[in-house]
Amino acid sequence: MTNLVEQHDWPAHDVERLPWRQAVRGGSRDDRTLDHVDASVPPMIAGLDLQAPPSLAAACERAVVEIARAEHATGGLAALGRFLMRTDSVASSRIEYEDASAEDFARALAGSRSNSSAQSMVAATRALAGLVDEAGSHREITCDAILEAHRRLLGDDPLDGRYAGRWRTMQNWIGGSDHAPRAALHVPPAPGRVEALMADLVAYLNRDDVPIVVQAAVGHAQFESIHPFTDGNGRIGRAIINAVLRRRGVTGTSVVPVASALLAQRERYFAFIDEYRVGRVAPFVADLADGLRLAAEESRVSAERLIELPQQWAAAVPFRADSAGAKLIAAMLDHPVFSIDEIGRVTGSGPANLAPAVARLEAAGVIREITGRKRDRAWLVTDVSGELDDLELRIAERITAAAATAEERDG
């Protein structure tokens, strides 16, 4: 085994000992009597550079080229951008063990009653969209935008809603006991350090002289190490990856469903973040470059499939040109979950004209009613929902196969 010290390419985190006392008494005797904690102190990174070897630089460049090809395949269609946004947000939520069926997610999108995981996924989609769009429109990633994304993510959360949109003011930790930071896998920096560390991180994220994939990987790993929020750090941190891509102009209307790639090898992903804390970032950069490339390649496949869907729907259920049904088919790609009222506003058609078209499409299996009620009904476009699941599955299969090939080569 190679000595880990010899592989350092980034400053390792320091450690500082802090006094600790439980705010709420609980847990084992060891939890209750713990009187100190060794907290991590991430380095200031605004002016740092990774000296990437040629092979790593080439991998990063291949990823950027493939992302650009995927962006071109969407043709600037907002509908495809939103599809990829939902794909990435769903996978990012699943990394945090938030899961829901396609129908539950669709019900939450439609504003219908659904489980908490589905509602969390919808909130993650809005948070990602807001942060990425802000980075693109202003060519800047700001602390205010990150705080706003967190507010969108957790503002309605019954437990953490009161902390939404605020840097944490308490000590947190990852792993170990639920009652005290005893045997924790990672103890983030003291809350008093968070604001300065985040300002430094944002300065790094807004540099234009750093290779794009390196910037995304370092920015994400540094954010996860700071852990600036009481909850939601993983989802906001992964959104930063796509915010970097948008700010640097690699994407314009879409995102890369990179969370699907990270989800496929969750434990390996977490291990790379741990390595960053001891001073190794190149392995995560390489892994992220591969994940971005494969996710972009599969996104291009999905984009090509989705663009063909309206023509397929029209062939399966023909409507007269300029009829309410024809307008509905034209709108469904952009509105894969819809109610009669919503789609009526989009198409300019009244409920009386839309209802027969909806019934025909439902009978043909093109759409599926998801509320199970007689009033305030909503429909899911079956093919779009299926493609979302298929994209995540294809990315997972390619990531898993690539990991197996690498293990055989290295073993």
Side-chain angles (χ1 to χ4, degrees):
M1 181 180 292
T2 304
N3 190 327
L4 195 63
V5 175
E6 296 175 358
Q7 300 180 14
H8 283 189
D9 51 31
W10 200 254
H13 289 27
D14 287 330
V15 175
E16 66 175 342
R17 178 154 292 188
L18 303 171
W20 169 263
R21 184 178 181 181
Q22 280 190 335
V24 178
R25 187 175 175 83
S28 69
R29 182 180 183 281
D30 288 341
D31 290 330
R32 297 192 304 273
T33 58
L34 186 69
D35 62 3
H36 69 271
V37 58
D38 291 331
S40 173
V41 183
M44 292 293 186
I45 67 169
L48 297 183
D49 293 295
L50 174 68
Q51 301 302 315
S55 59
L56 180 56
C60 291
E61 185 59 30
R62 286 195 298 271
V64 171
V65 169
E66 198 56 49
I67 294 167
R69 292 182 66 193
E71 174 75 18
H72 179 73
T74 67
L77 293 177
L80 301 185
R82 282 192 282 273
F83 168 83
L84 294 173
M85 193 84 70
R86 287 191 291 270
T87 302
D88 195 53
S89 300
V90 166
S92 190
S93 295
R94 286 176 176 157
I95 290 175
E96 306 299 329
Y97 301 98
E98 294 278 4
D99 204 354
S101 69
E103 290 202 3
D104 273 333
F105 181 54
R107 278 190 284 269
L109 279 173
S112 299
R113 190 173 181 180
S114 57
N115 65 36
S116 60
S117 291
Q119 292 169 359
S120 176
M121 287 178 173
V122 171
T125 303
R126 292 170 181 157
L128 172 61
L131 183 58
V132 171
D133 289 345
E134 180 81 8
S137 61
H138 293 91
R139 287 291 182 259
E140 184 180 15
I141 298 172
T142 66
C143 284
D144 285 345
I146 294 172
L147 290 168
E148 177 58 28
H150 189 255
R151 189 176 294 110
R152 291 181 180 183
L153 176 65
L154 290 179
D156 294 329
D157 188 277
L159 294 177
D160 286 283
R162 57 182 170 163
Y163 304 119
R166 297 165 45 196
W167 305 135
R168 59 180 170 85
T169 57
M170 61 190 72
Q171 185 63 58
N172 54 359
W173 63 93
I174 300 170
S177 171
D178 290 336
H179 303 279
R182 184 176 56 82
L185 299 176
H186 174 62
V187 180
R193 292 184 178 272
V194 168
E195 187 171 356
L197 283 165
M198 286 303 300
D200 173 77
L201 171 58
V202 163
Y204 177 83
L205 294 174
N206 287 311
R207 287 174 58 182
D208 292 321
D209 62 338
V210 178
I212 296 169
V213 176
V214 171
Q215 190 174 49
V218 169
H220 173 64
Q222 179 79 351
F223 181 92
E224 295 306 314
S225 295
I226 299 169
H227 239 59
F229 299 118
T230 57
D231 192 21
N233 293 284
R235 285 165 287 180
I236 299 297
R238 286 182 288 275
I240 284 175
I241 296 173
N242 270 297
V244 168
L245 298 176
R246 183 67 60 85
R247 192 194 75 80
R248 297 293 295 272
V250 183
T251 61
T253 59
S254 67
V255 300
V256 183
V258 63
S260 296
L262 300 176
L263 174 63
Q265 295 284 319
R266 181 195 275 121
E267 297 309 316
R268 186 179 69 176
Y269 158 53
F270 291 155
F272 281 134
I273 300 299
D274 288 340
E275 286 197 349
Y276 173 80
R277 293 167 186 151
V278 299
R280 297 187 66 215
V281 67
F284 181 47
V285 174
D287 190 71
L288 184 63
D290 288 343
L292 285 168
R293 177 178 56 82
L294 294 176
E297 288 174 357
E298 294 304 329
S299 295
R300 185 154 50 88
V301 172
S302 287
E304 292 167 353
R305 291 180 179 179
L306 290 167
I307 289 171
E308 295 174 355
L309 286 178
Q311 185 176 352
Q312 295 174 11
W313 298 331
V317 187
F319 290 102
R320 178 178 50 81
D322 295 328
S323 67
K327 293 176 182 177
L328 173 58
I329 283 179
M332 288 193 313
L333 188 59
D334 205 17
H335 300 272
V337 179
F338 65 87
S339 65
I340 290 285
D341 288 342
E342 177 191 8
I343 212 68
R345 288 190 292 271
V346 173
T347 62
S349 304
N353 292 324
L354 282 170
V358 167
R360 288 182 61 190
L361 288 165
E362 187 174 6
V366 174
I367 60 177
R368 184 169 70 251
E369 205 282 329
I370 56 173
T371 60
R373 59 194 184 203
K374 295 182 178 180
R375 299 183 61 183
D376 299 323
R377 304 173 78 199
W379 286 263
L380 171 68
V381 181
T382 308
D383 290 331
V384 177
S385 174
E387 186 59 35
L388 188 152
D389 289 338
D390 194 47
L391 173 58
E392 186 173 307
L393 180 61
R394 295 198 315 271
I395 292 172
E397 289 175 343
R398 292 197 63 187
I399 292 292
T400 301
T405 300
E407 286 182 7
E408 290 178 3
R409 181 186 66 242
D410 298 338

